Amino acid sequence: MSRRVVRQSKFRHVFGQAGKAEQTYEDIRVSKVTWDSSFCAVNPKFLAIIVEAGGGGAFIVLPLAKTGRVDKNHPTVNGHTAPVLDIDWCPHNDSVIASASEDTTIMVWQIPDYTPVRNITEPIVTLEGHSKRVGILSWHPTARNVLLSAGGDNVIIIWNVGTGEMLVSLDDMHPDVIHSVCWNTNGSLLSTTCKDKTLRVIDPRKGQVVAERFAAHEGMRPMRAVFTRQGHIFTTGFTRMSQRELGLWDPNNFEEPMALQEMDTSNGVLLPFYDPDSSIVYLCGKGDSSIRYFEITDEPPFVHYLNTFSSKEPQRGMGFMPKRGLDVSKCEIARFYKLHERKCEPIIMTVPRKSDLFQDDLYPDTPGPEPALEADEWLSGQDADPVLISLRDGYVPPKSRELRVNKRNILDVRPPAGPRRSQSASDTSFSQQQQQTLETLLEEIKSLRERVQAQEERITALENMLCEFVDGTD
């Protein structure tokens, strides 16, 4: 009987390739703030990068197709009064992004489809509830307008962005700084890591710690944790001897790890990016110049090393494109946006295939932009898996929708008449945000007309001077 030596997997030959020079974004002053977030967020429409800003915090938003040198006067999004620490695109609206800052606030922004002429300084809504800096943001995977934030006050707050309300505050679960927070697939549970070296699984609506494991990694350096599609938790951390380590855990049995592997000796925190469709986890260390990737399976040893993408330049941060933004015709299964000191470079992961046909096995149905629940339904205890879409014909983004915020009157205690409606983009034909955009455009037109008029007057004056000069010489 012959023994199979090589493990069967369609992802064994995944390889990474840096984008060409014309696909990079040049002359971007990437933020130098000391914080272990990815500094970059990307979706099928836009690339957002936290940048250096004098006297406050800012990030730049570029249409994905706007590659090449970025104008040094390109408008930024800069409403914060202190450095921005984290940004995250809404999974259900590709024009909405949230930012968290050292100024203790979270701001949610609507990015216009056209390139703005001036800096964007007015958020749709500002969320205030933390007493110290806010360093972590994460949108709910299936419920509309639900956003999680975690701050230096060791508090996790879950917000309804559609009303500006705080839905849940988890303020007595973490005795020290929170290092990472991750939703599970349907958004019913959270996994968190903390400076107290404890890995926790939390039911946010009940406000209960469902399971916890002390010293999942024994080192003092920060841990990271992400849920897998099977409901397990993948972690990165450090051993007591400061070696980097990865682990896989079953929350129903935290006593023993399913897998625990030492990797190398380095100070950089490993940021895990998990793709549930392929069950591949990509590890990007800040300051590293490589991306390691592993496949997580149901058979021991559960975590299988695939390969390493290496380059010469260290990475300052990393953005991870959602599956619907990939080029399925080229068998692209992941795309990263690697931040250098002054530029951003795409890194494309592909599975080599000879056929040009759509590869069903590489692209199962993936979460689309439609939410499965409203915020109130989720808060009342309902759960739903993401609404899936097929990528067979490529992803066609829906028409741009506007996020409308309806702040509730806390003095009005009358019960709502009839069934509650969701805060959707189409609730009004002409909303406050559209009015604001219209006023901005009219101002620009007026300003341009004034400048044209001034130029015409200048031309007339110069012509008169020329005529006088010619008459004088005669």
Side-chain angles (χ1 to χ4, degrees), residues 114-268:
Y114 61 88
T115 303
V117 187
R118 294 195 179 99
N119 290 345
I120 300 174
T121 56
E122 292 295 322
I124 312 170
V125 64
T126 301
L127 306 171
E128 298 176 291
H130 288 282
S131 60
K132 291 186 179 176
R133 68 182 182 181
V134 187
I136 297 170
L137 289 176
S138 182
W139 291 90
H140 192 284
T142 63
R144 189 198 306 272
N145 294 343
V146 176
L147 175 66
L148 175 149
S149 62
D153 49 8
N154 311 336
V155 175
I156 292 174
I157 299 176
I158 299 171
W159 309 85
N160 181 349
V161 172
T163 60
E165 289 179 301
M166 189 187 296
L167 299 178
V168 175
S169 179
L170 307 172
D171 49 11
D172 55 357
M173 294 188 176
H174 300 89
D176 214 324
V177 177
I178 299 162
H179 286 148
S180 74
V181 183
C182 177
W183 297 95
N184 67 348
T185 307
N186 66 3
S188 59
L189 296 172
L190 300 171
S191 69
T192 70
T193 61
C194 177
K195 196 176 177 181
D196 70 351
K197 293 173 44 172
T198 303
L199 170 64
R200 294 174 175 84
V201 179
I202 295 169
D203 184 326
R205 289 168 297 194
K206 291 181 181 173
Q208 292 176 355
V209 176
V210 178
E212 60 183 356
R213 162 73 198 222
F214 176 68
H217 299 281
E218 294 184 341
M220 290 302 297
R221 304 264 307 133
M223 260 197 300
R224 288 283 187 277
V226 290
F227 269 106
T228 70
R229 70 181 182 202
Q230 295 93 347
H232 300 142
I233 297 173
F234 180 90
T235 59
T236 64
F238 292 79
T239 66
R240 199 174 289 160
M241 305 300 290
S242 292
Q243 276 208 299
R244 294 200 288 199
E245 191 174 49
L246 60 83
L248 186 67
W249 307 83
D250 181 353
N252 300 315
N253 179 19
F254 261 153
E255 292 303 311
E256 288 295 321
M258 295 169 66
L260 201 63
Q261 293 181 26
E262 287 185 11
M263 292 176 62
D264 59 7
T265 306
S266 177
N267 289 329

Side-chain angles (χ1 to χ4, degrees), residues 33 35-39 268-269 271 284-288 315-317:
V33 70
W35 188 251
D36 282 329
S37 75
S38 58
F39 285 8
V269 175
L271 305 179
C284 309
K286 268 198 155 182
D288 286 10
Q315 53 233 17
R316 297 281 296 275

Side-chain angles (χ1 to χ4, degrees), residues 355-367:
S355 170
D356 291 334
L357 299 174
F358 178 73
Q359 306 292 316
D360 298 80
D361 60 327
L362 296 183
Y363 300 106
D365 288 356
T366 194

